[in-house]
Amino acid sequence: MYEGDVLAGNWRRPGKGKIPKVPAEPDLVVEDADSGFCGAVVACDKEAVTLEDRFGKRRLFPLAPAAFLLDGRPVTLVRPAAAPAAAPRRSASGSIAVEGLRARVARQSRIYVEGVHDAALVEKIWGHDLRVEGVVVEYLEGVDDLPAIVEEFGPEPGRRLGVLVDHLVPGSKESRIAAAITSPDVLVVGHPFIDIWQAVKPSVLRIPAWPDVPRGVPWKEGVIAALGWRMEPAQAWRRILGAVSTYTDLEPELLGRVEELIDFVTEAP
């Protein structure tokens, strides 16, 4: 039945001869050398292996040295190594992704950003986190109307408003408007960039830096011209947003502010 004499020599003694160790993986077909029972591995623990023959009969055998035959040759079955635990999947923001997520019912609290481009970038990176927390992002279409929007929103404990402002630097128009908001249930934060485009790292777009645009020149159009892109601002934004895939593609000055806003509007009253 087998080539040569499988019982020749001292093959059943541990440490004698070259008896290979084979992991008892599921569906591996082996034969118990003593009884002749042949079957596929269906279970294995640190002491024994369970085999199932072609008729569905199962038997348990100890994991003794050289106790089995594989393709007619003696082997020592060993318990398979445990598979390494899979690393948790991360969302684009770097948080642990919630598998099978169903969006939480929206909170009364909101986050406002200045424009549609800001909203699109926040959604792309933090969208998963916002759905987990039930936070809706809306946009202002400019910061000039912020005091009126805050008054209409009616912030209160449990109904907070977080606002992300572009170019929030000392002495700017934006800083003066933000300073007029005094409600403890409103948090206005900002980044130093003239436009949200600049929050994307230049290396992501394979450019050395965001160009300086002279005063009096519309910023987006000036950037497009300086970079030699032959496209309209809407097309340029699609190109920029398409290059972003994870939080590491964004500048820290934006990352910290968005995280701060999410924490603020989700904090228990």
Side-chain angles (χ1 to χ4, degrees):
M1 181 175 179
Y2 302 114
E3 294 182 6
D5 183 0
V6 298
L7 298 179
N10 220 358
W11 65 274
R12 294 298 303 275
R13 290 181 57 191
K16 295 292 184 180
K18 296 181 179 180
I19 306 299
K21 293 182 179 180
V22 177
E25 302 285 358
D27 299 325
L28 176 72
V29 177
V30 295
E31 178 184 342
D32 175 56
D34 284 337
S35 66
F37 185 90
C38 184
V41 174
V42 293
C44 184
D45 59 27
K46 63 181 180 179
E47 296 180 351
V49 63
T50 301
L51 303 182
E52 181 180 289
D53 69 11
R54 60 193 180 94
F55 302 108
K57 183 179 179 181
R58 295 188 177 189
R59 287 184 59 182
L60 186 68
F61 299 95
L63 292 177
F68 301 92
L69 302 176
L70 177 62
D71 296 330
R73 299 186 180 279
V75 296
T76 296
L77 290 187
V78 295
R79 188 180 186 183
R89 191 171 67 85
R90 296 281 176 174
S91 71
S93 70
S95 64
I96 296 177
V98 179
E99 303 295 342
L101 169 67
R102 293 182 63 183
R104 176 176 174 168
V105 175
R107 296 173 183 263
Q108 292 187 20
S109 298
R110 292 286 187 273
I111 290 177
Y112 275 66
V113 296
E114 278 207 55
V116 64
H117 291 182
D118 307 64
L121 187 60
V122 169
E123 163 61 27
K124 186 162 189 179
I125 300 302
W126 288 275
H128 174 86
D129 307 55
L130 294 168
R131 283 185 285 278
V132 168
E133 297 292 350
V135 176
V136 174
V137 174
E138 301 183 21
Y139 61 93
L140 304 169
E141 295 187 340
V143 74
D144 293 330
D145 296 329
L146 180 58
I149 289 173
V150 171
E151 183 177 357
E152 180 181 355
F153 182 82
E156 60 185 15
R159 180 180 168 81
R160 285 181 152 186
L161 182 61
V163 184
L164 179 69
V165 177
D166 295 344
H167 199 229
L168 189 62
V169 296
S172 66
K173 174 189 73 173
E174 291 81 2
S175 67
R176 291 191 294 272
I177 293 174
I181 309 299
T182 58
S183 169
D185 296 303
V186 179
L187 176 63
V188 181
V189 300
H191 55 75
F193 310 115
I194 296 173
D195 190 276
I196 196 68
W197 290 17
Q198 283 185 305
V200 177
K201 292 179 179 178
S203 58
V204 174
L205 299 167
R206 299 183 179 180
I207 59 176
W210 287 101
D212 292 326
V213 177
R215 286 184 175 273
V217 176
W219 191 85
K220 288 184 175 70
E221 287 77 1
V223 165
I224 292 171
L227 293 176
W229 293 355
R230 298 180 180 276
M231 58 184 70
E232 295 297 316
Q235 295 173 299
W237 171 242
R238 286 195 293 272
R239 176 174 178 173
I240 294 165
L241 186 63
V244 174
S245 59
T246 177
Y247 73 100
T248 58
D249 295 332
L250 303 181
E251 299 288 359
E253 292 89 340
L254 176 66
L255 296 175
R257 301 295 74 74
V258 175
E259 297 287 350
E260 188 178 354
L261 289 176
I262 294 174
D263 289 344
F264 177 77
V265 299
T266 57
E267 187 178 74

